[in-house]
Amino acid sequence: MPLTKHLNVAIIDSNPALGSRPYFNKEDPPDPRVSTVTPATISFFKDVGAWQYIEQHRHAYFDKMQVWDYTGLGYTRYNAQDINKEVLGCVVENKVLHGSLLSCIENTDFQKTIYPSKLSSMTLPPSPSSLGMDSTSSRPPLSSQRHLAKLELSDGNSLYTKLVVGADGGKSRVRELAGFKTTGWNYSQNAIICTVEHTVENGCAWQRFLPAGPIALLPMGDNFSNIVWTMNPKESTNRKLMNEDEFVKDVNNALDYGYGPHPTSSLFGSGEMFSWPRAGVTLSANDCFEVPPKVVKLASERMVFPLSLRHASDYVSKHVVLIGDAAHTVHPLAGQGVNMGFGDAFALSRVIAEGIAVGSDIGEVTVLKKYEAERKPANIMMMGILDGFQKAYSVDFGPLNILRAAALHGAHFISPLKRSIISYASGEQKLPLFT
Amino acid sequence: SSSTGGFQRASSLKDLELAKFASIAETWWDFEGPFKPLHVMNPTRLAFIRSTLCRHFDKDPNSARPFEGLKIVDVGCGGGILSEPLARMGATVTGVDAVEKNIKIARIHADLDPVTSTIEYYCTTAEKLVEEDRKFDAVIALEVIEHVANPAEFCKSLAALTVPDGATIISTINRSMRSYATAIVAAEYLLHWLPKGTHEWSSFLTPEELVLILQRANITVREMAGFVYSPLTGRWSLSDDIRVNFIVFGTKNCQ
C-alpha cells in the first residue's frame, strides 16, 4: 500500500523463530500446531505477497467437510462446489505461516526493526483534550516525544511510537498495561493436538461432536492429518500419557463407532421434502455419510491446551489498538480464531491507510474507532455463534439431541442455508444469514 | 444616516460572532465536546480537498504527502483541525483566525507533534493578510463565510490571497428550508450538536449566490459537492445533495 510505505515499524517478539532463518526439513512429519485458513485469509496473504512462500512448503487445501455427532441422528456434508468455489480452506502448519510472513516482510521495502525482547512497561502521553491557557506567550521547549507512547523493553531498549498494536495473544501484555477490561470464561475443556498418519490420503475435514467435546480430523497433505480433540481436563491428562497404540485405538473409536451409531437419514426421511425445487440443490446434499480414514500411527507428540473464551470490552484507546487473540479468544471448534485475527489485521491496515490519506494522526482514537466499529460486531457475532455451538453440544439430553440433529439435517439439505453457512465460515460473507 | 447605522450594525454583528466562538475555545480538541460535529465531518472535507487539489496541481494521490511544495492558508482556522492534517499531507500551512484564544489553542496543540509544529498561526483577518501582500497556492475557508459581515468583500480578499491559477475552496451551509430544519432547528435546538445561536440562517448563502460573488471576485467555480450525514452510520459522506452543507472548489482567473 503506497500510503503506508513510509511508516517505520518495530516488531517486538521474543519468539526465537523470528531470529533464525526458518528451516523446514521436508522429511519431518507435520508439526501438530496448525491453522485452518479460510479463503478470505488466503486472499489477504495473496494481497500482501505472502501466499507464494506458503506454496513452497507443506500446505493442504481441502474442498469437503463432514460434521456429525455421537447420537447418530444426523450429519452434514459440505462441498466447496456448493458455493462455486474450489476450496473450503487450507491447513497450514503455524511454523510455515510464520516463516512465510517473515520472508514477505524481509522482501518488502519498508523500514522495519525486529526486537527479540519482551515489553516491560508502557507510558502513554496525557490527553490534550482540554488544553490549559498559558499566560506566557513564548513556546514551551519542544520535546519531540511528548505526543508519543513510550515502550520499555526487557533488553533495556526504549521505543517511542504513535501507535502500539497489541497482537500479543490471549495473555496480551499490551492489553494488560493499557488497562483494557475483558470478560470471558474458561471452558472446562482442554484440547489435545497431534499429527496422525493414514494408509491413504485424507482430502476432507471431519468433525464429530462427542459428549465431552468435538474431535476434528484435518487433512495435512501426503497421508497425514491433524487432530484437535476437545475433552474435559482429566481425560486430556489420561490421553496424553497413555501409550501410543492405546491412543490410536481411542482416536479411531472416537471417529467411528465409539459413543454411538453412524448417522443414517432414516429418522427424517431422505431429505426429499427439502430437496424441492430441484434447481439450486447443493451438490453435497446427495452425498452419503462416510467414515473417516483410519488412523494407523501417531506421528508427533501430543500437546494439551486449555480452552477459554475471552473478549476485550474495547479494542482501542488513544495510541493503542488490540488485534487477534489479544482482543478475542475463541473455542477452536470451527477453526475460526486465527482467521478472525487476520481479518482484524487486514481491517486495521486499511483504516490506517485511509487515515493517512486525509492527514490524520494514526494514534487518534477517532481513526482507530473505525477499525473497532468494523471488527467488533463481526467478532462478537462469530464468538456468540461458536459459544452457542459449544454450549449446545455440551449437553446430552434427548430432546435437545433431536433438535440439534434436526438443525444439522436442515443445514445439510436446505440449500440456501447451507450456502450461507459455507460462505460465512469461508470469510466471504459478513453475516451468517439474510445477506 | 442609514449608512452609518448600517455600518454599526455590521460591526456589532461581527463582535457577537467572535464572542460566541471565544467562549468555547478551550474545547476545540475535545473530540467529544462542542466541536464534535466538526471533528466527525473533517475527514470528509479533507477527502474533497485532497482530490481537487491533487487533480489541479497534478500531484500523486497515492503519496502520503501529496501537498509537498504547496503554500496553503486556512482562513478561520479555529483550533487548527484543518491546518494540522494539511501539514501532515506535506503542505506549508498558515492558519489565521480572528479569535485570539483560538490561535493560542491551535499553537499549543500543533507544538505537540514536530510535523505540525511548522504551521504558522496568526490572529488576524483575510483582509489584513491582503494588506501584507501575502500570496498562497491554495486558500481554504471552511465554515467561515456564514459568519462574516460582508461575504462579497470576503470573497474578494480570498481571491487577492490566491496566486493566478491557484485554488480557492469555500464550504458553508445553504440557505434553504431544509437547512433551516436540519442545521438550525435540529443541530442547535434538538440534537444540541451546536450551541444555540451558532448560525444565523439569514446569513447563509445559496450555491448560486456563492458562485456569483466568486465570479465577481475573479474566481471560477470548477467543482461543487454536498456533505450528507447518515444518522444510521454516524458518518458524513460526499454527495450531489447540496441542500444543506456544501463545498466549492474554484480557480483564480489568470489575468
Side-chain angles (χ1 to χ4, degrees), chain B residues 30-85:
Chain B
D30 179 2
F31 284 83
E32 299 298 313
F35 287 107
K36 180 172 171 174
L38 222 50
H39 283 287
V40 176
M41 201 200 253
N42 211 24
T44 319
R45 315 191 300 177
L46 282 158
F48 180 85
I49 293 171
R50 180 195 178 82
S51 106
T52 49
L53 291 186
C54 279
R55 238 198 318 277
H56 183 67
F57 292 107
D58 204 18
K59 299 287 187 187
D60 177 14
N62 285 324
S63 159
R65 291 173 66 87
F67 296 158
E68 290 271 13
L70 288 182
K71 291 214 299 274
I72 305 189
V73 63
D74 177 7
V75 178
C77 61
I81 75 166
L82 184 74
S83 298
E84 289 196 11

Side-chain angles (χ1 to χ4, degrees), chain B residues 48-221:
Chain B
F48 180 85
I49 293 171
R50 180 195 178 82
S51 106
T52 49
L53 291 186
C54 279
R55 238 198 318 277
H56 183 67
F57 292 107
D58 204 18
K59 299 287 187 187
D60 177 14
N62 285 324
S63 159
R65 291 173 66 87
F67 296 158
E68 290 271 13
L70 288 182
K71 291 214 299 274
I72 305 189
V73 63
D74 177 7
V75 178
C77 61
I81 75 166
L82 184 74
S83 298
E84 289 196 11
L86 291 174
R88 285 201 198 94
M89 286 157 82
T92 308
V93 182
T94 306
V96 303
D97 199 279
V99 177
E100 177 80 43
K101 263 195 187 177
N102 286 344
I103 293 295
K104 286 211 168 86
I105 293 284
R107 178 79 272 149
I108 293 174
H109 195 268
D111 280 343
L112 295 176
D113 182 347
V115 175
T116 51
S117 61
T118 54
I119 301 174
E120 304 237 302
Y121 283 118
Y122 301 110
C123 178
T124 183
T125 60
E127 291 72 25
K128 294 249 177 58
L129 279 185
V130 174
E131 282 167 27
E132 290 170 32
D133 212 21
R134 299 290 303 265
K135 292 271 188 275
F136 300 90
D137 301 303
V139 173
I140 307 185
L142 302 189
E143 314 296 317
V144 178
I145 196 167
E146 62 263 27
H147 299 286
V148 304
N150 189 332
E153 286 303 313
F154 181 66
C155 285
K156 288 214 171 84
S157 301
L158 297 184
L161 293 172
T162 317
V163 299
D165 204 32
T168 309
I169 298 183
I170 295 180
S171 80
T172 185
I173 304 177
N174 195 345
R175 189 181 71 250
S176 65
M177 286 284 84
R178 194 180 179 82
S179 74
Y180 191 80
T182 50
I184 308 280
V185 177
E188 291 183 15
Y189 290 87
L190 298 180
L191 302 171
H192 303 295
W193 278 1
L194 301 168
K196 290 198 186 64
T198 302
H199 286 122
E200 192 67 48
W201 186 79
S202 53
S203 49
F204 290 169
L205 292 167
T206 64
E208 297 80 16
E209 286 164 352
L210 183 58
V211 168
L212 201 60
I213 57 179
L214 281 172
Q215 190 59 57
R216 293 212 182 111
N218 263 322
I219 292 182
T220 308
V221 170

Side-chain angles (χ1 to χ4, degrees), chain A residues 44-270:
Chain A
F44 176 35
F45 270 67
K46 283 184 176 156
D47 279 346
V48 299
W51 193 253
Q52 52 174 320
Y53 301 106
I54 297 207
E55 289 186 322
Q56 293 166 11
H57 297 99
R58 180 160 40 215
H59 62 287
Y61 290 106
F62 62 95
D63 61 350
K64 293 193 286 288
M65 199 190 296
Q66 178 175 293
V67 181
W68 73 114
D69 71 1
Y70 66 94
T71 60
L73 294 172
Y75 69 95
T76 309
R77 283 187 71 86
Y78 297 117
N79 195 306
Q81 289 178 347
D82 293 341
I83 50 167
N84 297 320
K85 290 273 160 23
E86 285 177 16
V87 302
L88 288 175
C90 186
V91 183
V92 188
E93 289 156 272
N94 288 350
K95 66 184 189 193
V96 171
L97 286 172
H98 293 155
S100 310
L101 288 170
L102 195 58
S103 297
C104 182
I105 291 176
E106 282 171 2
N107 293 326
T108 309
D109 179 27
F110 71 105
Q111 294 172 69
K112 63 257 180 192
T113 324
I114 296 182
Y115 292 89
S117 178
K118 285 195 167 82
L119 181 63
S120 313
S121 73
M122 184 163 75
T123 320
L124 299 171
S127 167
S129 62
S130 52
L131 298 170
M133 297 289 283
D134 288 340
S135 52
T136 55
S137 53
S138 61
R139 298 184 193 185
L142 241 163
S143 164
S144 60
Q145 287 141 358
R146 247 182 319 147
H147 64 301
L148 301 171
K150 180 178 179 186
L151 304 177
E152 264 151 34
L153 308 185
S154 54
D155 62 8
N157 276 315
S158 285
L159 305 178
Y160 294 89
T161 181
K162 277 196 179 149
L163 182 62
V164 182
V165 179
D168 47 348
K171 298 195 177 64
S172 168
R173 181 103 175 103
V174 172
R175 184 181 70 204
E176 185 192 331
L177 289 174
F180 286 102
K181 298 210 181 353
T182 63
T183 47
W185 41 87
N186 294 323
Y187 293 119
S188 48
Q189 290 175 321
N190 288 348
I192 286 193
I193 61 172
C194 61
T195 312
V196 297
E197 208 174 335
H198 311 283
T199 51
V200 293
E201 184 160 352
N202 173 21
C204 176
W206 313 86
Q207 177 144 292
R208 188 180 188 214
F209 286 92
L210 303 175
I215 178 167
L217 185 75
L218 304 168
M220 288 229 58
D222 300 325
N223 290 351
F224 293 110
S225 286
N226 177 266
I227 296 237
V228 180
W229 193 353
T230 303
M231 60 191 74
N232 68 51
K234 193 151 169 295
E235 285 181 17
S236 68
T237 318
N238 290 345
R239 290 218 169 87
K240 183 173 156 79
L241 298 172
M242 65 172 56
N243 79 48
E244 290 190 12
D245 290 332
E246 288 286 323
F247 181 73
V248 169
K249 256 217 286 228
D250 242 5
V251 167
N252 283 323
N253 194 36
L255 290 171
D256 199 345
Y257 274 111
Y259 307 96
H262 287 173
T264 54
S265 306
S266 58
L267 192 65
F268 293 106
S270 57

Side-chain angles (χ1 to χ4, degrees), chain A residues 273-349:
Chain A
M273 62 172 152
F274 295 123
S275 308
W276 62 270
R278 272 279 128 199
V281 170
T282 55
L283 184 75
S284 53
N286 291 323
D287 281 356
C288 288
F289 171 82
E290 281 179 29
V291 180
K294 228 172 165 59
V295 171
V296 299
K297 199 164 135 287
L298 182 64
S300 78
E301 60 165 312
R302 285 157 274 179
M303 298 180 167
V304 177
F305 296 101
L307 301 177
S308 60
L309 173 116
R310 197 146 299 275
H311 192 261
S313 46
D314 292 298
Y315 288 2
V316 319
S317 72
K318 201 165 194 300
H319 301 291
V320 184
V321 59
L322 302 177
I323 64 173
D325 278 14
H328 43 77
T329 323
V330 300
H331 199 283
L333 65 80
Q336 292 297 329
V338 81
N339 294 295
M340 288 159 70
F342 283 124
D344 290 350
F346 200 23
L348 181 62
S349 68

